[in-house]
Structure formats: structure tokens, C-alpha cells
Amino acid sequence: MSARIMVVEDEEALTTLLRYNLDAEGYDVETVARGDDADTRLKERVPDLVVLDWMLPGLSGIELCRRLRARPETKQLPIIMLTARGEESERVRGLATGADDYIVKPFSVPELLARVKGLLRRASPERLATVLTYGDIELDREKRRVARSGRSIDLGPTEYRLLEFFLEHPGRVFSREQLLDSVWGRDIYIDERTVDVHIGRLRKLLNPGREQDPIRTVRGAGYALDDRFAKVE
């Protein structure tokens, strides 16, 4: 699955340039022009990385960065700040606020892409891993094969994407709405009960016998990979 990147930038030409190049690298890109709008969207859906301009209408990049670091769900969110300010004191201020990296305009697009990839690798190595494992489950992205305890499991495309998403975020609870956005996409309008149907199919395929169910139902919240399942030998 592609890493999701939010670009918060009010310069239309730069936004277009960043979207084009990030899209070309295979990332799922969302762009926002105002700091306050970005704050609202980030409360609804957390991406894998944010490219954040310093000067924004509605809410400054510095203030947005402070807010993100204050929330548990975005405390570890990778943030790259963009700014025209090149003075050392401003770079220190940006990093002290909580940004993971800092790049001064005008900048080299290949350099920005390299920094994005480096941050994603450090923050979410599973995003770039060829093989994902959890307990006795193994998913090979190159071969698009899934196995449990060495036994091959034939998954449909939706069940495969669901399992891949869970393996990328082991232990984290996702609501049905979050799963719809992340696995099916924001532009697909289907009933949330569809998630329950596909979770049920995935469970049956992963647990044909009396094996431990790796998927945990969290009443009133959603679904997650069970933390206890990771201890399976």
C-alpha cells in the first residue's frame, strides 16, 4: 500500500509541483492550502507524513506543528517543514517545535523526495518492507502471497489489502470509517457494514481450523491485529 502524504502549502504552483513528483513516486497525496483546514483533516485522518509550510493562512505551520505534537495520535507523525527562512535561528525554532526535518525554499525536488523516503523508512520501516510478518502470518508483497505457519492462503484482492494494512499498523485500532478510507479509498462510497463482511471473510481464510484469530474486534471502536497474536511461535 502507498504511504499517505499530506502537503500543507498555499503556493499553488509549488503544491502542483509537489503533488506531481510525489504521485510519480507512488505516494497517496492529499493537498491542503490552509493551516486550519489541515488541522481539521488531521483530526479525521492521520497520514504517514506531512510536508508543512511555515507560513500559512488560517493557522501557521509552527502552530500546527505544536498542536500535532501535543496529540497522542500525531505525536510521532513525521513532519518536514518548508520555509523561505534560511537563518539558523529559524531552523532551530522549527526543529524545536517538533519538526523532524527542515528544508529551505527554493529546494531541490530530488532532495525533498530523498528526505521523505528517509523519514518514512525510519518511522515506518514496514511501509518499505518486502515481507511483512506478524506471529505465524507472512505476507510477501513481491509475490503477493500470504502464508500461515508455512501454509499458503489464497486471499481475494480486498482481503489482501486489509491484511496488508493491518500488518503495516500492528496493534492499532481502526474504525470502520478509517478502514474504508485507507483500504477502499475516500472516493469510494460504500456502506460501513461492507468492512464487517470482508473482515469476516479474512478471518475465515486465516483461521480454517481452530487456530488463534489474529484479528481483534474492539467493541464500539473497530478492529485491530491482536497484540497477543504477535507472541505466537
Side-chain angles (χ1 to χ4, degrees), residues 10 34 37 61 63 102 116 137 155-156:
D10 63 329
R34 295 177 56 90
D37 289 341
E63 178 57 29
Y102 187 104
V116 166
I137 293 176
L155 298 182

Side-chain angles (χ1 to χ4, degrees), residues 92-109:
V92 170
R93 183 183 172 198
L95 294 171
T97 303
D100 297 280
D101 205 347
Y102 187 104
I103 191 164
V104 180
K105 301 175 185 177
F107 53 83
S108 159
V109 172

Side-chain angles (χ1 to χ4, degrees), residues 19 28-30 41 45 177-191:
R19 175 185 281 280
D28 179 4
V29 184
E30 178 181 8
R41 293 197 198 183
R45 187 188 191 202
E177 182 179 2
Q178 289 173 322
L179 289 171
L180 282 174
D181 282 348
S182 300
V183 178
W184 279 264
R186 310 193 77 172
D187 298 327
I188 303 298
Y189 298 98
I190 55 178
D191 194 284

Side-chain angles (χ1 to χ4, degrees), residues 1-3 5 18-29 109-110 112-114 116-117 120 128:
M1 283 184 141
S2 301
I5 296 178
L18 291 173
R19 175 185 281 280
Y20 175 82
N21 284 278
L22 290 167
D23 276 341
E25 291 292 311
Y27 298 118
D28 179 4
V29 184
V109 172
L112 176 65
L113 294 175
V116 166
K117 189 172 183 179
L120 286 173
L128 303 176

Side-chain angles (χ1 to χ4, degrees), residues 198-212:
H198 286 281
I199 289 288
R201 290 178 184 172
L202 179 58
R203 277 177 158 148
K204 288 180 180 179
L205 291 166
L206 291 176
N207 316 314
R210 294 185 176 182
E211 295 163 292
Q212 181 181 352

